[in-house]
Amino acid sequence: MNREPTGLTCRGGSLALSGALDAATVPDLWQVSERELANCRGPDVSMDLKAVDRVDSAGLALLVAWLRLAKRRSLSIRYRNAPAQLLALASANRLERLVLMLAEDRREGVDGAKP
C-alpha cells in the first residue's frame, strides 16, 4: 500500500500532521517536531490531525510526549480533528486527559462531526 509520507508543518500557531502516526514514523516525527515547535508562535498551539490516516500506540505515545515537550517550552498544544481510531486508542489506554481533549474537539464539531 502506498501512502503519502508523514509530515509535520507549522504555520504561525498551527501545526498540521499528515500521514501515518505509527512506530515507523515516530522517530523522525520526534526530531522534526522539536524544530517545528520552536518555529510555532505560542503560547497556544493547535495541531490539526485531520490528515492522519493511521495511528498506533507509538503514535499515541508521541502525542503525549508532545504535550510534555510543549509544557517544558511554556506552550500549550490543543489537538484538533482527531480520527476516531485515535480516540478509541487513547480511551483503551486510559489516557483520560487526552481522551477528554480529543472528545471535546469532536463535540465542538471542529472536524465536521455532529455533536
Side-chain angles (χ1 to χ4, degrees), residues 21-101:
L21 184 56
D22 59 18
T25 62
V26 163
D28 289 337
L29 279 171
W30 177 251
Q31 289 182 351
V32 169
S33 69
E34 290 184 308
R35 180 186 68 241
E36 292 298 326
L37 272 175
N39 292 335
C40 277
R41 295 181 187 91
D44 298 317
V45 175
S46 173
M47 183 180 290
D48 190 347
L49 305 174
K50 185 177 184 174
V52 171
D53 60 22
R54 196 175 83 132
V55 64
D56 67 12
S57 59
L60 179 62
L62 182 59
L63 293 178
V64 172
W66 281 337
L67 291 172
R68 291 181 181 146
L69 176 62
K71 186 175 182 178
R72 284 194 309 267
R73 293 186 177 183
S74 299
L75 298 171
S76 172
I77 292 181
R78 180 160 176 93
Y79 296 118
R80 299 279 186 195
N81 300 316
Q85 179 188 17
L86 177 57
L87 184 59
L89 189 59
S91 181
N93 283 281
R94 296 179 170 229
L95 295 172
E96 286 83 8
R97 179 176 171 217
L98 189 57
V99 170
L100 289 173
M101 181 191 307

